[in-house]
Amino acid sequence: MASVSENLSDKGLARLTADMDPAMLALARRHDPHHGPDLWGRPEGWASLDLRTPPDLGFGTAVDAVAEDINALRPFSTLPIRPMKPFKLAVDTQDGSRALKCLAQAVYYESAREPELGQEAVAQVVLNRLRHPAYPKSVCGVVYQGAARATGCQFTFTCDGSLARAPQPDLWLRAQDVARHALNGFVAKGVGSATHYHAQYVAPYWAPTLVKMKQIGAHIFYRWTGPWGEPPAFTGRYAGGEAYLSAAILGSLDERTQGLLDPEGQGVPAGRKITLSVGGEVRTYNVVDPLAVGGERTRVLGTIFAPRRKPTPEEIKKINESLAAMDAPVATETAPLAVPAPD
């Protein structure tokens, strides 16, 4: 009689199961705690991974110190950053003036206090998206994509109420200059073909699915993976129509990073109203909001990004002192008149 150890070896088990009834063998294998190697060579657990649910590392979208630690763990890509071709749009036309305002809004509300290079990078992302086949073909369309969704606006300020706050004049002029420069052909070479970014204190679920390129100021920039993230893929043509933000654009999402969150391609059919001011022209669009039946609201709360962290009392004090210093009149000192010496 064979020993117990022999019967429990792979060879022994194969001998024991050779004469088993197929149904009994299938039942035994179902309850076998030892799983054999995956025939496709996949990592353990991959065969049962549900890709319809994005990974969240166990705590959702992280913010603050935890997010910074997570971002630091993932290294920047060593792939080359290839600059994009210049984009030019005359701002003295109807479309151009509207495009300038939308791009300046993105620069201001996303990066008003970032260094100039960081603001230029944000403008570059908007123009990169415009020319990528996956995004709208106008500047305002890119900026306000998803603004009517309960969640999912592409640029946070378009759906979190930020537009209700009037911009600070000097910072707004600076944002306009950056936007005008970008529409006149300036290329922010440092971020290449980046189409996504997030603040360093946020770790969104989609970050590991893209190529981590570079950090400028407080923002980390990413591009698509593979050939569709390289400059030759950006073949989209500017279509104009900056004032006409359709319900399809206002209700659409980023298939590259949000496709898993909207498997049915929900979109936003007609139902309620949203009012937007673009380039000085106010237009109302019919869109749906499951939280408001027949109501009219100018902003829809919600975004795929975690909210920006609350400033500390010390930071608030410092910001207020900075604003007060900028608003204070500049004192000018007049030198006393020289009195000629007596002869």
Side-chain angles (χ1 to χ4, degrees):
M1 182 178 179
S3 66
V4 174
S5 60
E6 180 183 352
N7 288 342
L8 295 180
S9 66
D10 289 342
K11 185 176 181 180
L13 289 173
R15 184 181 298 113
L16 289 172
T17 58
D19 298 327
M20 290 181 67
D21 177 86
M24 184 184 298
L25 180 60
L27 182 62
R29 285 176 174 170
R30 185 181 304 170
H31 294 279
D32 184 2
H34 173 73
H35 299 288
D38 186 270
L39 297 178
W40 295 93
R42 295 171 294 189
E44 183 177 353
W46 181 263
S48 60
L49 181 64
D50 186 358
L51 293 179
R52 292 173 299 178
T53 304
D56 62 4
L57 301 181
F59 44 72
T61 300
V63 294
D64 298 336
V66 175
E68 292 183 6
D69 291 341
I70 294 173
N71 290 326
L73 287 173
R74 185 164 182 255
F76 289 94
S77 172
T78 58
L79 295 173
I81 298 178
R82 297 183 173 89
M84 299 293 288
K85 294 181 179 179
F87 177 85
K88 289 191 175 184
L89 178 65
V91 297
D92 57 352
T93 64
Q94 189 176 45
D95 267 342
S97 63
R98 292 190 176 99
L100 175 63
K101 181 171 183 179
C102 286
L103 187 56
Q105 285 177 330
V107 172
Y108 178 86
Y109 288 103
E110 294 283 305
S111 59
R113 296 192 178 277
E114 287 293 292
E116 185 173 359
L117 186 59
Q119 294 191 336
E120 292 169 348
V122 168
Q124 187 67 52
V125 166
V126 174
L127 298 184
N128 286 352
R129 284 195 169 203
L130 183 155
R131 292 190 289 185
H132 195 282
Y135 300 99
K137 294 294 161 279
S138 69
V139 175
C140 293
V142 167
V143 172
Y144 282 94
Q145 183 183 14
R149 297 179 62 86
T151 60
C153 57
Q154 296 304 296
F155 293 86
T156 312
F157 77 92
T158 67
C159 67
D160 69 355
S162 295
L163 286 167
R165 301 192 298 269
Q168 186 176 316
D170 57 334
L171 295 180
W172 174 246
L173 289 175
R174 182 187 178 203
Q176 283 184 311
D177 288 341
V178 171
R180 186 177 292 105
H181 202 192
L183 293 175
N184 194 36
F186 175 78
V187 176
K189 298 180 180 179
V191 292
S193 54
T195 49
H196 297 74
Y197 63 85
H198 65 78
Q200 64 180 353
Y201 50 80
V202 176
Y205 68 87
W206 50 258
T209 71
L210 301 175
V211 177
K212 186 178 181 182
M213 302 175 70
K214 191 172 186 176
Q215 179 168 345
I216 300 177
H219 288 136
I220 302 174
F221 293 84
Y222 300 78
R223 69 166 175 83
W224 284 49
T225 56
W228 259 41
E230 296 287 355
F234 291 70
T235 57
R237 293 180 175 274
Y238 176 71
E242 298 287 353
Y244 302 97
L245 298 177
S246 66
I249 290 177
L250 292 170
S252 63
L253 45 69
D254 183 350
E255 291 290 349
R256 180 62 179 81
T257 58
Q258 296 173 279
L260 295 175
L261 299 181
D262 196 3
E264 300 178 359
Q266 296 171 4
V268 178
R272 74 172 181 83
K273 295 180 179 181
I274 183 171
T275 303
L276 296 175
S277 174
V278 180
E281 183 172 339
V282 177
R283 289 180 176 273
T284 299
Y285 302 87
N286 291 320
V287 291
V288 104
D289 179 6
L291 303 179
V293 180
E296 180 174 346
R297 296 191 300 179
T298 57
R299 293 291 170 263
V300 181
L301 296 178
T303 172
I304 61 170
F305 303 113
R308 302 185 189 278
R309 66 177 177 84
K310 294 182 178 179
T312 63
E314 293 75 15
E315 290 174 331
I316 294 176
K317 181 179 179 182
K318 185 176 180 181
I319 292 172
N320 288 332
E321 290 174 351
S322 174
L323 295 176
M326 286 187 285
D327 293 336
V330 179
T332 57
E333 296 182 358
T334 56
L337 295 175
V339 179
D343 294 334

